[in-house]
Amino acid sequence: QVQLVESGGGMVQPGGSMRLSCAASGRTITYYAMGWFRQAPGKEREFVATISGSGGSTYYADFVEGRFTISRDDVKNTVYLQMKSLKPEDTAAYYCARGSFGRTAMQYTWWGQGTQVTVSS
C-alpha cells in the first residue's frame, strides 16, 4: 500500500508561483510514473502533468503552456509540481497519483488526498 501526501498548496496572487510536493510512504515510487491531476468545484478531475518512472519523459496538459514543471526525487520518494504564472483558472484541488505513464486517471492506482490551490487577488 502506498500513501501519498500532497503539500504546498495555499493562496497566491495571479502571476505568482507555487511548488507542490507529493511525498510517498509505504512503498517506493521508483520505476512508477507519477502524475498530477486537479479538480475545480463543479468540474471533473483533469490531467495536469506526468513523469515517467525513469524521469526521462514528461507530458503536460495543453493548458499548462510551459508554466508548470513536474520533477521527481526518488531518494526522497517525492514528486514535485513547480507552477509559475498562475492564473485564477488554475484554482483547484491538486492531486498526485502513482501508476502508469499516461494522462487518464484510470492509469493511476494510488492517489493522495489533494492540496488546495487558490489563485486570487
Side-chain angles (χ1 to χ4, degrees), residues 52-70:
S52 64
S54 68
S57 297
T58 57
Y59 185 74
Y60 298 91
D62 290 343
F63 64 76
V64 169
E65 298 176 324
R67 300 180 296 125
F68 298 176
T69 303
I70 188 171

Side-chain angles (χ1 to χ4, degrees), residues 71-90:
S71 61
R72 62 190 297 154
D73 184 337
D74 286 4
V75 174
K76 295 182 178 180
N77 227 22
T78 300
V79 64
Y80 305 96
L81 185 68
Q82 178 68 50
M83 305 184 292
K84 64 180 181 180
S85 302
L86 284 162
K87 306 174 183 180
E89 51 264 44
D90 293 319

